Amino acid sequence: MDQQPAAGPRSATAAIETVFRLESPRVVAAVARVVRDVGIAEELAQDALVAALERWPREGVPDNPGAWLTATARHRAVDLVRRRETYARKLAEIGRDLETTTPAPEPSDPEDIDDDLLRLVFTSCHPVLSAEARIALTLRLLGGLTTAEIARAYLVPEPTVAQRIVRAKRALARKNVAFEVPYGPDREARLGSVLEVIYLIFNEGYAATAGDDWLRPGLCEDALRLARRLAALMPKESEVHGLAALLEFQSSRTAARTAPDGTPVLLKDQNRRRWNRMLVSRGIAALVRAKATATGAPGPYVLQAAIAACHAHAYSYEETDWRAIAALYGLLAARVPSPVVELNRAVAVSMADGPEPALRIVDTLAAEPALRDYHLLPGVRGDLLQRLGRTAEARAEFERAASLTGNERERELMLRRAAQAG
């Protein structure tokens, strides 16, 4: 494999950290297929990282660093498996069988799917784990999030998240959970969790909870690909199509969401001519499929996709059908009550009916424990106060929002808005 010239230790270390954060889900998924244990797979991925830290500063960063990490981890996985006595015995038996028999062709099951990342999602979402453990483990393995980032996202202590992840790995190993995409009722039982973690992985890429970059496009791309694959796998599931539609619509805005220097661009200031119309068309088609396969009231992902469609159909922020969006958020709040949904509804109400009724909604949310350290609450409140001419209060809210966010780009945006309000 060709390699780039060796760089200094500091630049090589930075490159390794960036590559590993982007590629670790694929490395873990590929290795888990060999060792059948996500805990061991993650350890072997970490071993590959250590090898990179030792070799890349001296030998240079490979042209395809992700493939290098995966190959290194897989080699160590194969060595580990070969050392197991049971594997050696089975390998000998398989070898004798291969000498005397002709292998039958593998069955072609239309419901089968050959996707290591999707296998990893379904494995991490096994019913033997609690809902909290499923989410934490999947965000760790597939999202590449640290325990600190997951803790911030869910407003829980970091040690709590760490314990959930450790216990989840042990539970999967103890129960000998198969590394597979399940069939029939087993697949349906895990579907809700799978949709949730794909949605959360996308959200972390769409607006990172921490770090120097507001966007993590690799996470968005992985989540969108998984949603598309799942929609092909389960064509009769309305919510699967709803999630796919939502992610298509959201992904269509990527190019317009940041300035050339990486500064976030708010929805109202985005150049909609930069929205990807092909992805918008895909979102519309997925939403049509979602509605066609629905057997009752629309689910939460279908409703969110419908909201995103309202934005996609509008030529400008002001021309958006805000009353329709506010009504859809009302349906969403009734289906899955959430203070975050109410906060989003308040934004739509502010555009449809003005900032005063929206501010009343936001003020009722101030006492919600889940939003106590949620930076978007003071961010929205600051925007409403600024529109009402209460600039001193708006400045204080923007400054509070800046103090609460863990993302450096978002902090800069809030501080800039505070300065403008002043």
Side-chain angles (χ1 to χ4, degrees):
M1 181 182 294
D2 294 335
Q3 292 185 316
Q4 299 171 6
R10 183 175 300 175
S11 60
T13 300
I16 294 166
E17 292 174 350
T18 300
V19 168
F20 189 76
R21 189 176 182 96
L22 294 173
E23 298 292 339
S24 61
R26 294 181 181 86
V27 177
V28 172
V31 174
R33 192 173 189 178
V34 177
V35 299
R36 323 297 289 185
D37 185 306
V38 294
I40 294 175
E42 189 176 24
E43 291 174 7
L44 291 170
Q46 292 290 337
D47 287 346
L49 172 62
V50 172
L53 289 168
E54 292 173 351
R55 294 179 56 179
W56 291 7
R58 182 178 66 252
E59 301 175 5
V61 178
D63 286 341
N64 192 336
W68 190 98
L69 288 169
T70 300
T72 301
R74 283 178 65 91
H75 289 157
R76 297 185 180 217
V78 170
D79 289 342
L80 175 65
V81 172
R82 282 175 175 164
R83 288 197 298 269
R84 294 175 178 171
E85 182 180 353
T86 55
Y87 176 80
R89 185 173 62 252
K90 289 180 179 179
L91 187 62
E93 294 171 356
I94 292 171
R96 286 193 296 272
D97 290 341
L98 289 174
E99 291 175 0
T100 58
T101 62
T102 301
E106 292 187 6
S108 178
D109 190 320
E111 288 199 342
D112 196 11
I113 188 164
D114 186 21
D115 190 310
D116 284 342
L117 284 177
L118 199 55
R119 283 192 182 95
L120 187 56
V121 174
F122 272 97
T123 301
S124 302
C125 292
H126 197 279
V128 299
L129 306 179
S130 68
E132 294 82 4
R134 295 175 202 170
I135 293 170
L137 180 62
T138 311
L139 289 177
R140 170 69 176 167
L141 295 180
L142 274 101
L145 275 67
T146 64
T147 52
E149 289 170 338
I150 299 170
R152 277 195 293 269
Y154 282 88
L155 307 177
V156 296
E158 187 175 342
T160 301
V161 173
Q163 289 174 1
R164 287 175 183 172
I165 293 172
V166 170
R167 289 170 183 168
K169 293 176 185 176
R170 289 175 180 169
L172 292 176
R174 187 172 60 251
K175 296 292 185 179
N176 197 26
V177 172
F179 183 68
E180 64 181 5
V181 176
Y183 296 91
D186 288 342
R187 181 182 294 173
E188 294 173 4
R190 300 188 214 179
L191 182 58
S193 291
V194 169
L195 294 177
E196 183 175 8
V197 296
I198 292 175
Y199 176 69
L200 291 170
I201 290 169
F202 183 89
N203 279 350
E204 179 59 28
Y206 194 71
T209 56
D212 296 330
D213 297 320
W214 195 38
L215 303 181
R216 296 174 62 183
L219 291 183
C220 291
E221 291 167 5
D222 278 345
L224 179 55
R225 185 180 61 79
L226 289 172
R228 288 172 177 171
R229 295 284 278 169
L230 199 58
L233 182 66
M234 308 182 75
K236 297 181 181 179
E237 291 290 339
S238 176
E239 278 290 82
V240 173
H241 293 300
L243 177 62
L246 174 62
L247 302 195
E248 299 280 8
F249 284 131
Q250 300 296 76
S251 296
S252 72
R253 307 177 195 169
T254 300
R257 294 188 67 240
T258 55
D261 63 354
T263 302
V265 178
L266 298 175
L267 179 61
K268 65 181 180 179
D269 299 322
Q270 289 175 19
N271 179 357
R272 299 195 174 206
R273 286 175 294 187
R274 299 191 67 198
W275 287 10
N276 188 316
R277 303 315 299 181
M278 182 189 72
L279 292 180
V280 170
S281 296
R282 292 184 66 114
I284 293 171
L287 184 55
V288 169
R289 287 192 293 270
K291 293 178 178 178
T293 53
T295 56
Y301 294 113
V302 175
L303 288 171
Q304 290 179 78
I307 291 169
C310 289
H311 290 293
H313 287 306
Y315 290 104
S316 69
Y317 188 74
E318 292 74 20
E319 293 176 39
T320 305
D321 190 346
W322 290 106
R323 291 193 183 280
I325 291 177
L328 287 166
Y329 270 122
L331 293 174
L332 184 61
R335 189 70 185 266
V336 282
S338 162
V340 174
V341 172
E342 275 296 289
L343 185 61
N344 288 328
R345 187 174 74 86
V347 174
V349 168
S350 76
M351 295 302 297
D353 300 321
E356 287 190 12
L359 184 60
R360 289 195 291 270
I361 296 173
V362 172
D363 286 343
T364 63
L365 298 173
E368 288 284 347
L371 297 184
R372 183 170 50 213
D373 297 320
Y374 188 54
H375 68 284
L376 292 183
L377 177 64
V380 170
R381 193 167 188 275
D383 182 72
L384 298 175
L385 289 169
Q386 186 174 29
R387 288 167 59 187
L388 288 169
R390 295 160 62 177
T391 54
E393 295 172 82
R395 183 173 64 252
E397 290 295 308
F398 287 134
E399 289 172 349
R400 181 166 179 267
S403 71
L404 291 175
T405 182
N407 185 278
E408 187 59 34
R409 290 293 189 178
E410 204 158 25
R411 181 180 295 110
E412 293 171 358
L413 172 65
M414 291 299 170
L415 289 176
R416 186 165 64 250
R417 297 198 71 187
Q420 291 170 349

